[in-house]
Amino acid sequence: MSPPPTSSLTLDPAQALRELSERFPGWKIWRPRMFDGQAPGWAATRLGRPLTARDNKNGLEETLFSNTPGDLEQQLAQQTALERRLDEDGLLDKPLRAT
């Protein structure tokens, strides 16, 4: 397995949020808030139809969590590649997003 690509995301959280949202339009990218208002992490929730048990068994995730935008970017890229491979192999029951 090759090493994951290096992130090109900026260190500015607001800009990183915009960049991730533009690069991965099939996901809602957000910053979870703690009770004190701090946003220590990053999250992405898949848009489109809900995943089936088969989708989950094949490794697709509904929501991703990470400590950094770069780590989240890698997870999103992995999910995108997996989704594409499953679709090509006919292992998705139906498309994940409306076309």
Side-chain angles (χ1 to χ4, degrees):
M1 180 179 274
S2 61
T6 305
S7 175
S8 62
L9 292 175
T10 178
L11 296 178
D12 173 47
Q15 181 63 29
L17 193 63
R18 281 190 297 276
E19 289 177 21
L20 285 170
S21 295
E22 289 172 7
R23 286 194 51 215
F24 299 98
W27 295 81
K28 176 181 176 22
I29 314 297
W30 51 287
R31 306 279 319 268
R33 297 270 178 207
M34 302 297 284
F35 65 92
D36 61 1
Q38 296 295 314
W42 294 78
T45 301
R46 190 181 290 277
L47 301 172
R49 72 162 172 84
L51 296 180
T52 64
R54 181 180 180 190
D55 294 331
N56 291 133
K57 184 177 180 184
N58 285 324
L60 294 177
E61 300 287 341
E62 194 80 42
T63 301
L64 305 171
F65 296 98
S66 178
N67 290 326
T68 68
D71 289 341
L72 185 62
E73 177 184 32
Q74 290 177 5
Q75 289 181 50
L76 288 163
Q78 290 169 347
Q79 284 288 299
T80 299
L82 177 58
E83 180 184 329
R84 188 176 11 254
R85 189 173 73 242
L86 292 171
D87 189 37
E88 290 170 357
D89 293 344
L91 296 174
L92 291 178
D93 294 327
K94 53 186 171 180
L96 293 172
R97 284 178 287 287
T99 54

